Each structure stands twice: as structure tokens, then as C-alpha cells.
Amino acid sequence: MDTAFLITSFVTLFVIMDPIGLTPLFVALTQGMSPAQRRAIGLRACVTAAILLTLFASFGEAVLGFVGISMPAFRIAGGILLFLTALDMLFERRTKRREGQAEEAEEEDDSHDPSVFPLAIPLIAGPGAIASMILLAGQKPGLAGLAMVIAVMLAVMVLLFLLFLSAGLFERAMGKTGINVVTRLLGMLLAALSVQFVLDGLRAFGLANW
């Protein structure tokens, strides 16, 4: 088993899905609901996002090939997308955008179930997470590699669900300042990982030998 690949996959998906940053938004979206209702919404959101990400990991590369996009090209594009996400995290634009999406969902319908939108899509399984699943699956071709990527994604999803269950306690313990600090640290890490994706894509094209 490739331990380094598992660690890299976990860190990438954890940073992209950002369970720590999503938890306060989950609290806001489920404000006034009972613990049972919060559990049900959190579970539906995680299951929906997991199914969507599994489909993209399994068939995303085939779809790219069908439309004539090579994996190295997608790896470079995905790396750039992840780098932009990292910039959003570093300068708090990502949090503000997510909060705006959450507020829009609440304004549309007070009785709206937020599990599918905006929780599962686009907050959990957003463009960055989808791109990451395709990129990671492409790094380890074959059923074994696909199984590893899906297993890591499910591990992150379980962690996210556990944080959803303890959302109220987590918010009180971390505070807004603590969450901002952790988000920025994760943003720095994601920036480095995104550059590595771009370098891997350039190397596959034969444009980089380092």
C-alpha cells in the first residue's frame, strides 16, 4: 500500500472539503433545529456528496478522454483551480462566498432542506473537490488506486459528519478567531499541493524535469 499517496490524498481532500470551515456554516443552516433533524440533514449531505464524488472519481477521466482532454492538461488546470481556492481561503473570500450561499438558501425558503443544496453541492462536493477526486484517481490508475481514493474520501466524509454532530460544541470551543487561523494554515498547505499538481502535469508533458 502506498502510504505517501494515502497521506497526500487525505490532506488534499481534507483541505478542499474544509470540514473545519464548513462546521460553522452547518450550524447556521440548521439553526433552531433539533439534534435529530441536524443528524438527518448532516447524514444526507455527506451521503449525497460521497456518491457524487465517487462517480467523478470512477468516470471523470473517461469523460475527459471522450471530450479530448488529456490527464496532464486536466492536472494543470486542476492545480490552478486549487491554487485559486487556496487564495480564497487565505484572504477569507471562500468563507464569505459560502456564507452568502447559505444566506441565499435560507432566504429562499425557511423550511428548505439544506442537505443537498447548499451543503452537499457546492459546499462539500464543489469544483475543487471534484477536480481533486479526478486528479487523485488519475495518479493511481486501476481499481486499487480508485479504491484507495474513494476510501480516503469516505474517511474525510466520516470526519466531516462527526464534526457536524458536534457542531455546536466545536463552534464554542474554537471561536471565530480559531477557525480563521486554521483556515489560513490549511490554505497555505493547499497552495503548496496545487503547485505540485501543476508541476506533475508539466512533467507529464515533458516540460519540466525537476
Side-chain angles (χ1 to χ4, degrees):
M1 183 175 291
D2 193 336
T3 305
F5 177 73
L6 288 174
I7 294 173
T8 300
S9 299
F10 181 84
V11 171
T12 300
L13 292 176
F14 182 86
V15 171
I16 281 294
M17 293 185 196
D18 191 17
I20 295 173
L22 276 178
T23 302
L25 295 179
F26 177 77
V27 173
L29 286 169
T30 58
Q31 191 172 10
M33 295 184 181
S34 66
Q37 288 175 311
R38 278 186 164 180
R39 261 196 317 273
I41 288 174
L43 181 61
R44 279 197 298 272
C46 291
V47 169
T48 301
I51 292 173
L52 182 64
L53 293 175
T54 298
L55 289 174
F56 272 101
S58 302
F59 305 109
E61 190 169 356
V63 173
L64 291 178
F66 179 76
V67 297
I69 300 174
S70 68
M71 198 59 206
F74 187 82
R75 188 171 287 121
I76 294 172
I80 294 172
L81 173 63
L82 298 186
F83 186 77
L84 294 176
T85 301
L87 290 180
D88 283 349
M89 293 173 69
L90 287 169
F91 296 103
E92 286 192 311
R93 293 195 296 264
R94 188 187 194 196
T95 300
K96 291 176 182 176
R97 184 168 60 250
R98 282 177 162 179
E99 288 173 348
Q101 290 171 335
E103 289 172 1
E104 287 175 7
E106 287 180 337
E107 290 172 358
E108 286 175 3
D109 186 357
D110 291 338
S111 62
H112 175 67
D113 180 354
S115 58
V116 176
F117 175 83
L119 277 174
I121 308 167
L123 297 184
I124 301 176
I130 291 171
S132 297
M133 290 295 289
I134 297 176
L135 289 171
L136 293 170
Q139 286 185 343
K140 287 285 182 181
L143 289 178
L146 177 63
M148 290 170 65
V149 173
I150 293 175
V152 170
M153 180 271 292
L154 292 176
V156 175
M157 207 65 73
V158 168
L159 180 58
L160 176 62
F161 179 63
L162 292 176
L163 284 174
F164 280 174
L165 293 182
S166 58
L169 178 63
F170 178 83
E171 187 180 37
R172 289 192 295 271
M174 290 286 291
K176 187 173 182 179
T177 301
I179 291 173
N180 286 339
V181 170
V182 172
T183 299
R184 280 173 167 76
L185 289 174
L186 293 176
M188 286 293 295
L189 186 59
L190 179 59
L193 286 170
S194 66
V195 171
Q196 187 61 55
F197 274 133
V198 173
L199 290 177
D200 289 344
L202 292 173
R203 190 176 296 112
F205 273 128
L207 300 177
N209 297 317
W210 59 88

